[in-house]
Amino acid sequence: MFRFGEEMCRVMAVLLLTVLAVTTNAVARERLEVVVIHSYHQDYPWTALQHEGFTRTLLNSLPDYDINFSVEYLDTKRVSPGPAYLKTFLSYLKAKHADDVPDLIYVTDDNAMNFMLDAGLHSFPSIPVIFSGVNNLVLAGTLDQQRVTGVFERKGVESSIELVQQISPAAQRIIFLGDGGPTDQAIGVRIEEVSKRYSGLEIVHIGESSLDALLAALRATGPGVVIVTTIGGVHDAGGRMLELNEIMKYVTDTGRMVLVMEDGYLFPGVLGGYVTTARLQGELAARLAARVLRGEPVSGIFPVMDSPAELVFDWKVMKQFGVRPGDDLLGKARVINKPLPFLERHPQLIWWALGSFTALAVIVIGIFIFVTGRKNRLIREQTTDSLTGLPNRTRLLQDTLSMSAPRFAVIDINNFKAINSFYGLETGDAVLVAVSREIACLLPDRAWLYRMGRDQFGVLADVDMSFTVFKQLIGGIIEALRHNHLSIGEPEIHLTASAGISGRESISLISGAEQALHVARDRNEGYAVDEDAVEDAERQKQNILWANKLSTALETGRIRPFFQPIIHNASGKRTKYEALVRLIDEDGSIVTPFFFLEAAKRTRQYAILTRTMIEQSLGMLGDRAISISLNFTVDDIRNSETVYFFKQMLKKYNAANRVVVELIESEGIENYAEVSRFIAEIKKLGCRVAIDDFGTGYSNFTHLMHLNADYLKIDGSIIKRINEDRNSELVTRTLVDFARRLGMKTVAEYVDSQAVQDKVTALGVDYSQGYFLGKPAAGLP
């Protein structure tokens, strides 16, 4: 058994068990509500990294609190934040948090900060505000010091200019390039101040939101080194907001040397630069927020004025431009895209050398074994891991067979392959050794550690440890690995791990733990036990059963559309129906998609199911003077065969002007380019579009701005509480008003009583749908 610092291990094991005991008897943690308002959308790298750094650091800093993050996106890279938009957004926030007052508000970047200073502070009085990523340094002297503090994003304008002078002394012109937005404008003020200090060097700032105008201004300026400030708000001639990699390719294709000021712009062709790091911005802001939430007055927490920056060079681009930074620069820089070492580029030499060495080693070892007694040495080598010195899987199998009721867990380091790829195999080996020592120090007596292979370790305990205590031990190890940051000659490496736990008999102990590990990964949980694997297997068994039933039903024509009426509230007429899929079982019973939809997606029958519903629903519509709604997911839109089939059926039945496509709010709907393209195509044919289940999941006001829908279906979770929950009423009222301003009709789902129907009608909802007004039926009137 592996031992590292025996006394220290004993102390850490006692501490771990003490923590576990305290945790087991702990009372419920105090809840904190944190509202997060981002300037940009969730897929924008700068936003995503700030958010990750803030939330992770705040959770780690306040482990005794249950923190709920309510996240909103102004989406100002793609939507102009005009007064009407901001007013509606503010109304939405006030309605949402009317009875759930946040303990703290966190905002990122200048647009969200301006929104909060203009209206948010008055609408949420006395609530502390923390910010990050704000470039307008002038605000530092105007902030309400009793409520507002945070992290300014001071881009390294001087350091970037000096870097150009160091790596390209002959450069006579430096061109700062940006999108003309608030962040770029704030940087432009700084550029204008700084440029006066560099006589004999022409420093130009170009800020344009149009790609054509940006490139035209760049060409007109003439040759020079380009430094990109922020370009996330650049659009093409058609108004489409361009992805960052698209914009950077246009800039690098001009043939100029290009430096950047943010790590999110390090795309191919970029030489590097002094870059600000979004994740560190979020982490710094989280540390300030933690101090506030612990009770420290905001007035005593001063804003951070200097953003952390990192010097980065791209090896390939340095070679392209013949740049040779001095040792002082390279010594403090992170160099990316380095060429592989000679032996990695010529692995055949390794195999040749390894083969030669192995042959020689076999001869030497054979002689040694013959002289000293080969049996004991072979046994030891076969049961010990050479890297960590731990007993290996072979030894584990031997040990489990000698125990009557062992406990076992397999621990797997998440994303270890990425560590090997990014830092190299040597660092990866060092991480494995460090992790083995970390786990060994946390193990009490009568528990042993093994190296299972690759990035997996095994923990074995005998019957003296109860299964409950063993699970607590493994959970504590997973948490300890997550909080321990390894420093191995590189920036700190942050690890997470997953575990599978088994208490089966010895003969199936290891396989039970490995099955449980798969369940933990699927559920994105720290650990799972083999009972969970049994439940997962049962769920898979049910999926197989329903997949077979679905296949037979599709072949025999037992997939049918049922139609639920949608009532026009002003007239009471039933001229709209939603088509809902049903499976008629062999015994004649009607089965809802709850039972077979997951099986359809897992067995690739989903597309066939969708096309069956399209053809049957349109065929039943005939020449009736009514309209029907068909549900589409993003997966349906991405399936070109399904889209083609849908268009052909619309033409076959001459039904386009009587069909409403309901887009289900699901992951991927924010990919506006492909979804908007689909909407434009079917609306050109005559169809109309509804956004289904709005108000839950991925709901975002930006969807309404981008998707050009005709109807907004308000989710039933809001509607069914509308008479007893004031927040539900306020949200519904806001949605109705916002939809009306956009020229959209509204539909209330899950109307289950006359009282609810009266309420939604009074609030101005145009249509209602629910079991009280009509259940799904097999035919159309």
Side-chain angles (χ1 to χ4, degrees):
M1 184 176 63
F2 183 82
R3 288 289 181 266
F4 175 72
E6 190 169 345
E7 287 300 321
M8 181 61 71
C9 290
R10 187 177 294 110
V11 170
M12 291 187 71
V14 171
L15 288 174
L16 175 62
L17 291 175
T18 303
V19 170
L20 290 173
V22 172
T23 303
T24 302
N25 297 294
V27 297
R29 299 182 297 175
E30 181 180 348
R31 183 180 178 84
L32 293 175
E33 186 75 21
V34 176
V35 173
V36 181
I37 305 175
H38 293 300
S39 290
Y40 314 137
H41 54 89
Q42 59 265 47
D43 291 329
Y44 194 61
W46 179 260
T47 297
L49 290 172
Q50 278 190 100
H51 185 81
E52 178 189 344
F54 179 82
T55 55
R56 184 187 62 193
T57 303
L58 191 60
L59 289 171
N60 291 342
S61 300
L62 301 173
D64 297 330
Y65 292 88
D66 180 15
I67 305 176
N68 179 60
F69 295 98
S70 180
V71 187
E72 310 291 345
Y73 301 90
L74 278 168
D75 201 9
T76 57
K77 287 291 183 189
R78 299 189 288 206
V79 179
S80 176
Y85 178 83
L86 294 176
K87 181 179 179 182
T88 303
F89 186 81
L90 179 62
S91 300
Y92 164 70
L93 283 180
K94 292 168 66 176
K96 185 173 182 179
H97 297 284
D99 296 323
D100 192 12
V101 180
D103 297 282
L104 182 137
I105 298 175
Y106 169 55
V107 298
T108 65
D109 296 282
D110 293 75
N111 288 122
M113 184 66 171
N114 293 337
F115 166 77
M116 183 54 60
L117 295 177
D118 291 343
L121 291 178
H122 304 297
S123 302
F124 295 93
S126 76
I127 298 173
V129 176
I130 303 295
F131 63 84
S132 68
V134 173
N135 286 272
N136 188 1
L137 302 178
V138 177
L139 293 178
T142 64
L143 295 176
D144 180 355
Q145 297 179 358
Q146 305 301 316
R147 290 182 57 192
V148 184
T149 189
V151 182
F152 282 101
E153 180 190 341
R154 185 198 292 266
K155 289 285 197 303
V157 175
E158 300 100 317
S159 58
S160 295
I161 295 173
E162 290 167 3
L163 178 61
V164 172
Q165 293 182 317
Q166 287 177 286
I167 63 177
S168 183
Q172 298 180 352
R173 180 183 294 120
I174 295 178
I175 307 166
F176 284 90
L177 205 64
D179 59 11
T183 301
D184 182 45
Q185 292 175 18
I187 298 171
V189 173
R190 181 65 179 165
I191 293 169
E192 185 176 355
E193 295 173 354
V194 169
S195 61
K196 300 173 184 177
R197 306 175 192 169
Y198 297 91
S199 59
L201 179 63
E202 182 183 357
I203 299 177
V204 181
H205 175 221
I206 299 173
E208 296 286 353
S209 61
S210 165
L211 176 64
D212 291 341
L214 188 75
L215 296 177
L218 183 57
R219 287 191 297 268
T221 304
V225 177
V226 171
I227 301 176
V228 175
T229 62
T230 175
I231 42 115
V234 175
H235 59 78
D236 62 15
R240 179 178 70 89
M241 302 304 297
L242 297 173
E243 300 295 333
L244 294 180
N245 60 329
E246 294 181 89
I247 308 168
M248 291 305 302
K249 188 174 188 310
Y250 279 112
V251 175
T252 55
D253 282 350
T254 63
R256 291 170 169 83
M257 181 186 297
V258 179
L259 301 175
V260 295
M261 302 177 76
E262 292 182 15
D263 55 355
Y265 298 153
L266 291 171
F267 291 101
V270 174
L271 177 64
Y274 281 102
V275 296
T276 53
T277 305
R279 183 181 285 107
L280 290 180
Q281 287 261 324
E283 290 177 357
L284 285 173
R287 294 189 181 100
L288 302 183
R291 293 169 62 184
V292 173
L293 292 172
R294 290 193 191 103
E296 190 173 338
V298 177
S299 57
I301 304 174
F302 299 105
V304 177
M305 300 302 296
D306 292 315
S307 302
E310 177 185 23
L311 178 59
V312 179
F313 287 122
D314 186 300
W315 180 274
K316 293 181 179 178
V317 184
M318 281 197 298
K319 293 297 182 183
Q320 175 187 340
F321 285 98
V323 173
R324 295 180 177 84
D327 291 341
D328 56 334
L329 279 180
L330 284 178
K332 62 182 179 181
R334 176 165 63 92
V335 181
I336 60 177
N337 293 326
K338 281 185 177 180
L340 293 173
F342 177 80
L343 288 179
E344 290 187 35
R345 286 184 280 126
H346 302 282
Q348 65 274 16
L349 296 179
I350 298 177
W351 288 111
W352 180 85
L354 183 62
S356 301
F357 176 80
T358 302
L360 180 61
V362 167
I363 296 172
V364 173
I365 291 173
I367 296 172
F368 182 79
I369 290 174
F370 181 78
V371 174
T372 61
R374 59 191 177 193
K375 183 176 180 179
N376 291 338
R377 178 169 293 277
L378 281 173
I379 291 173
R380 186 163 59 252
E381 289 177 352
Q382 290 171 356
T383 58
T384 303
D385 175 60
S386 60
L387 176 65
T388 62
L390 292 172
N392 61 16
R393 190 184 185 100
T394 302
R395 178 62 182 274
L396 172 65
L397 291 170
Q398 297 171 356
D399 291 348
T400 57
L401 292 175
S402 65
M403 296 181 179
S404 58
R407 322 294 185 196
F408 178 70
V410 58
I411 299 174
D412 180 84
I413 302 174
N414 297 329
N415 298 320
F416 184 73
K417 183 178 180 181
I419 295 176
N420 271 337
S421 299
F422 189 77
Y423 295 103
L425 297 177
E426 184 178 347
T427 299
D429 288 346
V431 168
L432 291 174
V433 172
V435 170
S436 69
R437 293 173 177 175
E438 176 84 9
I439 298 175
C441 287
L442 296 173
L443 295 184
D445 291 338
R446 310 298 296 170
W448 299 273
L449 181 64
Y450 302 80
R451 170 90 186 278
M452 300 288 290
R454 296 192 305 258
D455 54 348
Q456 291 187 350
F457 298 88
V459 175
L460 180 67
D462 62 16
V463 72
D464 290 342
M465 183 180 295
S466 72
F467 196 56
T468 299
V469 172
F470 185 68
K471 288 193 294 184
Q472 292 174 344
L473 171 66
I474 299 304
I477 291 173
I478 297 299
E479 282 299 299
L481 292 176
R482 185 167 69 88
H483 291 296
N484 186 18
H485 303 158
L486 304 177
S487 296
I488 307 178
E490 295 279 353
E492 286 188 341
I493 297 176
H494 302 258
L495 293 180
T496 61
S498 303
I501 302 174
S502 177
R504 301 184 184 184
E505 65 276 7
S506 298
I507 196 169
S508 59
L509 189 71
I510 297 175
S511 63
E514 289 175 339
Q515 291 173 17
L517 175 62
H518 289 301
V519 174
R521 286 172 173 166
D522 290 342
R523 296 181 179 178
N524 197 24
E525 295 176 348
Y527 70 85
V529 296
D530 49 6
E531 289 89 345
D532 297 326
V534 172
E535 293 177 5
D536 191 62
E538 179 60 30
R539 181 172 60 84
Q540 293 179 11
K541 180 180 177 181
Q542 288 297 316
N543 276 340
I544 293 173
L545 171 66
W546 280 107
N548 291 334
K549 282 179 173 284
L550 177 60
S551 178
T552 303
L554 287 166
E555 290 175 0
T556 56
R558 287 187 285 106
I559 295 297
R560 309 278 176 78
F562 275 46
F563 298 92
Q564 186 175 26
I566 301 173
I567 310 301
H568 184 242
N569 289 334
S571 65
K573 293 181 179 180
R574 301 186 176 198
T575 59
K576 301 181 184 297
Y577 293 82
E578 180 178 359
L580 302 167
V581 65
R582 297 291 186 267
L583 183 152
I584 311 302
D585 211 345
E586 292 177 350
D587 60 2
S589 60
I590 301 171
V591 183
T592 68
F594 171 82
F595 294 95
F596 59 83
L597 194 58
E598 181 181 355
K601 292 180 178 179
R602 288 181 177 269
T603 56
R604 299 184 180 179
Q605 298 184 87
Y606 178 74
I608 302 174
L609 184 65
T610 299
R611 293 170 206 162
T612 301
M613 274 294 292
I614 290 171
E615 184 168 17
Q616 289 205 25
S617 300
L618 296 183
M620 295 179 68
L621 177 60
D623 58 358
R624 292 176 174 84
I626 59 175
S627 66
I628 59 172
S629 298
L630 298 173
N631 287 298
F632 268 62
T633 66
V634 174
D635 289 335
D636 294 320
I637 295 172
R638 288 173 174 167
N639 190 314
S640 58
E641 293 182 7
T642 296
V643 173
Y644 177 78
F645 180 82
F646 176 51
K647 293 177 181 177
Q648 293 299 111
M649 290 300 102
L650 290 175
K651 294 177 182 178
K652 176 180 177 180
Y653 292 104
N654 191 27
N657 60 353
R658 292 174 292 152
V659 170
V660 178
V661 174
E662 293 194 7
L663 298 180
I664 297 175
E665 280 265 358
S666 61
E667 186 171 5
I669 197 172
E670 71 276 4
N671 295 321
Y672 299 121
E674 60 182 338
V675 178
S676 297
R677 184 166 55 251
F678 169 76
I679 291 174
E681 290 174 357
I682 63 171
K683 293 189 77 169
K684 187 175 181 180
L685 295 175
C687 295
R688 284 159 293 168
V689 175
I691 298 179
D692 197 11
D693 297 334
F694 193 87
T696 61
Y698 295 86
S699 292
N700 191 314
F701 272 88
T702 308
H703 297 348
L704 305 184
M705 304 291 290
H706 280 287
L707 297 181
N708 190 25
D710 303 285
Y711 300 96
L712 174 66
K713 301 191 76 172
I714 306 172
D715 189 73
S717 62
I718 298 172
I719 297 300
K720 65 185 180 183
R721 300 196 309 268
I722 200 167
N723 278 317
E724 61 266 7
D725 182 7
R726 184 169 177 270
N727 283 346
S728 294
E729 179 182 346
L730 289 172
V731 170
T732 302
R733 192 185 301 274
T734 300
L735 291 176
V736 169
D737 178 64
F738 193 64
R740 185 175 291 120
R741 292 172 184 269
L742 294 178
M744 299 169 61
K745 301 291 185 182
T746 48
V747 183
E749 298 183 300
Y750 283 67
V751 174
D752 58 4
S753 68
Q754 186 63 52
V756 172
Q757 172 64 4
D758 292 342
K759 188 70 172 181
V760 299
T761 301
L763 289 174
V765 178
D766 299 292
Y767 296 90
S768 294
Q769 180 180 357
Y771 271 38
F772 173 71
L773 302 170
K775 297 181 180 180
L780 286 167

